[in-house]
C-alpha cells in the first residue's frame, strides 16, 4: 500500500549526502554497536539519517560539533528504536549539546512542604515535548561500554513520556501484559533501594533508585551497554526491556 510517510522517508534517505564509509567510521568509534548484524546496521543508518534530517542539533556555549560527532549522536539516539519505528522519536525537535555538564536551577519541595531553590550540575536532561539536552563530555564518556550512556538515558525518558508523563511506564506493545512490567520493575526498584539503604553495592548506577522513571532510564543504559549485568541482577527487568525494545542483546540460559 502506498503511504505518504514511507514515500517521504525514502526521499530523505535517497537525498542523504552521508556516505556509507562515513557511517562506518562513526560506527567504529562506538563499541556499543559492535554486536549488530549487517541488517541491523543498515536499519540503524536509516533511522540515524532520518534523525539528522528531522532533529536540529544545536551546540551552545561555543561548542563546535563536527559532522562525525553529529552522526555518533544520531546512531546512539536511534539504537533504542532500532527494532521499533522512527515514529517513536516523535514529539520533540531538537538536541542541545553543551560542552560540559550544565547547571540548572529548579525548585524542590521537601517532606515538610518547604520549597528549596536548588542549583545542580547535570549531564543530560529531557523536558516533556522539549529538547533533549546533553553534554558533550558525557557523550564522549558514554563511548565506553560501561553501562553509562547519557544519550540512551535521555531517549529512554522521551519514549517513557510518549503516553503522558515520564513515570517509568512507557507505552507497552499489545502483547506485553502491564502486570508483568509493573511487577518486574517494582521489585527491582525496591531491591536497589534496599541495597542502597543497607550500604551495599548496587548492580546498577545508584541513580536508578531515585524514581521509577530514573530506574527505567538507567536500566535502558545497562540493557544496551552491559546486558549481562542487567540480566544477572534483574532478569525480569531484562526480559521486559527485551520485549519492549524488541532486541535480545544476549543469549539467555
Ligand atoms: Zn534521567
Amino acid at each position: 500500500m502506498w503511504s505518504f510517510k514511507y514515500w517521504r522517508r525514502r526521499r530523505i534517505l535517497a537525498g542523504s549526502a552521508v556516505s556509507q564509509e562515513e557511517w562506518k567510521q562513526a560506527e567504529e568509534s562506538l563499541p556499543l554497536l559492535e554486536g549488530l548484524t549487517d541488517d541491523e546496521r543498515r536499519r540503524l543508518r536509516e533511522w540515524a539519517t532520518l534523525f539528522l534530517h528531522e532533529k536540529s542539533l544545536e551546540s551552545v556555549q561555543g561548542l563546535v560539533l563536527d559532522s562525525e560527532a553529529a552522526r555518533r549522536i544520531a546512531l546512539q539516539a536511534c539504537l533504542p528504536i532500532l527494532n521499533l519505528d522512527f515514529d517513536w522519536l516523535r514529539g520533540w525537535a531538537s538536541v542541545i549539546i553543551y560542552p560540559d555538564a550544565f547547571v540548572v536551577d529548579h525548585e524542590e519541595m521537601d517532606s515538610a512542604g518547604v520549597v528549596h531553590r536548588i542549583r545542580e550540575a547535570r549531564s543530560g536532561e529531557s523536558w516533556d515535548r522539549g529538547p533533549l539536552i546533553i553534554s558533550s563530555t558525557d557523550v564522549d564518556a558514554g563511548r565506553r561500554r560501561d553501562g553509562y550512556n547519557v544519550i540512551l538515558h535521555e531517549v529512554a525518558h522521551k519514549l517513557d513520556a510518549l503516553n503522558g508523563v515520564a513515570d517509568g511506564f512507557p507505552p507497552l506493545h499489545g502483547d506485553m501484559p502491564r502486570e508483568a512490567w509493573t511487577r518486574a520493575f517494582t521489585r527491582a526498584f525496591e531491591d536497589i533501594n534496599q541495597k542502597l539503604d543497607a550500604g551495599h553495592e548496587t548492580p546498577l548506577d545508584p541513580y536508578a533508585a531515585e524514581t521509577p522513571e530514573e530506574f527505567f532510564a538507567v536500566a535502558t543504559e545497562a540493557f544496551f551497554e552491559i546486558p549481562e549485568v542487567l540480566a544477572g541482577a534483574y532478569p525480569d527487568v531484562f526480559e521486559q526491556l527485551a520485549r519492549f525494545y524488541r532486541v535480545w542483546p544476549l543469549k539467555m540460559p
Side-chain angles (χ1 to χ4, degrees):
M1 197 178 68
W2 191 86
S3 134
F4 177 71
K5 182 167 90 179
Y6 293 108
W7 173 80
R8 193 172 161 274
R9 282 184 183 177
R10 298 257 58 101
R11 271 186 49 135
I12 294 168
L13 295 175
S16 166
V18 183
S19 71
Q20 296 304 309
E21 190 50 42
E22 286 171 315
W23 280 122
K24 197 163 162 254
Q25 265 172 25
E27 286 162 9
E28 281 172 353
S29 66
L30 296 168
L32 179 61
L33 308 180
E34 265 162 21
L36 296 184
T37 64
D38 288 347
D39 189 46
E40 288 168 333
R41 259 168 223 276
R42 185 190 45 75
R43 194 158 58 247
L44 187 63
R45 285 177 193 184
E46 291 192 354
W47 295 148
T49 303
L50 295 175
F51 188 91
L52 292 175
H53 187 271
E54 303 280 322
K55 314 284 185 199
S56 73
L57 269 56
E58 299 159 23
S59 50
V60 296
Q61 293 181 350
L63 175 75
V64 179
L65 190 75
D66 63 39
S67 48
E68 188 180 324
R71 287 194 278 280
R72 280 200 298 269
I73 290 172
L75 287 165
Q76 293 174 83
C78 293
L79 184 63
I81 60 138
L82 175 68
N83 291 337
L84 302 175
D85 184 85
F86 192 74
D87 282 350
W88 284 74
L89 297 182
R90 68 185 178 272
W92 50 283
S94 59
V95 181
I96 298 178
I97 306 119
Y98 281 81
D100 213 333
F102 46 95
V103 170
V104 276
D105 288 309
H106 65 111
E107 292 186 338
E108 223 169 73
M109 195 188 287
D110 67 18
S111 52
V114 181
V115 175
H116 300 271
R117 285 199 62 77
I118 295 175
R119 167 164 276 239
E120 58 186 11
R122 298 215 177 149
S123 55
E125 198 168 45
S126 156
W127 302 340
D128 287 347
R129 310 214 149 264
L132 192 145
I133 309 173
I134 51 182
S135 95
S136 179
T137 321
D138 291 282
V139 169
D140 287 340
R143 282 160 69 176
R144 287 191 300 275
R145 199 161 184 167
D146 56 2
Y148 180 79
N149 186 304
V150 70
I151 302 179
L152 295 176
H153 182 102
E154 300 307 328
V155 168
H157 284 320
K158 287 295 187 198
L159 302 177
D160 189 357
L162 281 173
N163 56 352
V165 289
D167 54 1
F169 197 93
L172 302 181
H173 308 301
D175 59 353
M176 294 181 66
R178 299 169 62 104
E179 307 74 49
W181 179 279
T182 307
R183 203 181 321 118
F185 277 85
T186 306
R187 276 192 196 153
F189 182 69
E190 285 170 358
D191 178 80
I192 201 166
N193 271 286
Q194 278 162 10
K195 285 195 166 71
L196 210 57
D197 290 345
H200 295 152
E201 281 222 7
T202 54
L204 300 180
D205 185 333
Y207 193 52
E210 291 267 320
T211 57
E213 65 265 30
E214 293 309 338
F215 189 94
F216 170 65
V218 171
T220 292
E221 293 175 76
F223 178 75
F224 287 101
E225 291 231 323
I226 43 167
E228 64 291 344
V229 173
L230 180 66
Y234 300 120
D236 295 346
V237 167
F238 177 87
E239 191 192 329
Q240 290 300 312
L241 291 179
R243 289 174 187 276
F244 177 66
Y245 289 115
R246 294 185 168 145
V247 166
W248 203 256
L250 84 168
K251 285 204 165 43
M252 294 292 283

